[in-house]
Amino acid sequence: MARLSFIIVVFLLCVSFIYATKIVDVNTICKNTINPSFCSTLLNSKSGASRDLVSLAQYTIDVAHTNATNTINLIEKLIAQKGSSEEAQMHYHSCLSHFNEIVDILVDSKVLLKRKIYDSAVQEANSIRIHVDNCISGDSPGESPYHDTSLLPKYAAIVDQVAQIISTIENYLVPA
Ligand SMILES: *[C@@H]1O[C@H](CO)[C@@H](O)[C@H](O)[C@H]1NC(C)=O
């Protein structure tokens, strides 16, 4: 009898372990993203043993946070540049507010993940992509995008790709 309950306890521990650490293969996560090779390079660059979905999501949010902060630093340099047009100034100020918003969203996302509120976390990741798009394409529909020859579109595209990876990972965590 004691032996049977021991087996049951071990079984239950295994089941709860599997549920607590949901694991999905990196290639499966990445195959539906904008740039699968960028995605697998990023996810495989995570050091440490924990490769469960929550750890991968946390890691990817941290990467996005770094990338968004780098983007803000770049925008501030562009704003400080002398002799830029009024159109350029408007564009960069608009992008600055979008990227400040993105950093706030990323900070919130970490909290949502800790609290296991995965559906809202997915929405947050998707709203990051909308902010990136509004920065690049302009805020109002029909507005012609500013022809930006700086590094900003490249930085913004990275934040967009990373946000899509976050959204993809978190989607696996949303209960069916
Ligand atoms: C994005 O973040 C990663 C990881 O922190 C870093 O290696 C990469 O250089 C960053 N890229 C940009 C454009 O900020």
Side-chain angles (χ1 to χ4, degrees):
M1 195 58 191
R3 187 187 212 127
L4 181 64
S5 20
F6 175 74
I7 291 170
I8 290 171
V9 166
V10 169
F11 174 76
L12 289 177
L13 279 176
C14 288
V15 168
S16 60
F17 179 76
I18 288 165
Y19 271 89
T21 58
K22 222 174 153 188
I23 297 187
V24 177
D25 174 58
V26 162
N27 291 330
T28 308
I29 295 172
C30 291
K31 71 170 192 275
N32 292 320
T33 59
I34 307 167
N35 186 340
S37 69
F38 173 88
C39 172
S40 31
T41 305
L42 189 149
L43 295 184
N44 287 324
S45 72
K46 182 184 179 305
S47 56
S50 32
R51 315 205 59 88
D52 60 285
L53 286 169
V54 172
S55 309
L56 283 179
Q58 269 159 354
Y59 173 72
T60 313
I61 290 173
D62 285 338
V63 171
H65 199 157
T66 312
N67 291 160
T69 307
N70 291 343
T71 309
I72 288 174
N73 293 339
L74 173 70
I75 297 170
E76 282 172 344
K77 281 198 198 107
L78 293 167
I79 287 176
Q81 248 167 28
K82 294 206 167 54
S84 62
S85 67
E86 196 179 326
E87 196 195 1
Q89 285 292 333
M90 274 173 58
H91 168 67
Y92 293 133
H93 277 100
S94 152
C95 284
L96 183 60
S97 64
H98 284 300
F99 275 88
N100 279 326
E101 198 74 38
I102 288 172
V103 167
D104 287 347
I105 292 171
L106 288 165
V107 171
D108 280 352
S109 299
K110 292 182 202 185
V111 177
L112 290 172
L113 211 57
K114 278 212 179 72
R115 294 192 185 154
K116 302 183 167 48
I117 312 175
Y118 300 126
D119 51 348
S120 305
V122 172
Q123 284 169 19
E124 297 259 58
N126 293 338
S127 74
I128 290 174
R129 304 193 63 203
I130 294 171
H131 282 290
V132 172
D133 188 52
N134 286 346
C135 154
I136 296 301
S137 311
D139 289 292
S140 35
E143 188 183 323
S144 57
Y146 173 71
H147 181 64
D148 193 342
T149 53
S150 75
L151 277 175
L152 177 55
K154 196 176 152 224
Y155 279 41
I158 290 174
V159 173
D160 183 55
Q161 286 181 33
V162 178
Q164 199 216 6
I165 299 168
I166 297 170
S167 165
T168 306
I169 298 171
E170 288 172 343
N171 249 316
Y172 284 104
L173 290 161
V174 176

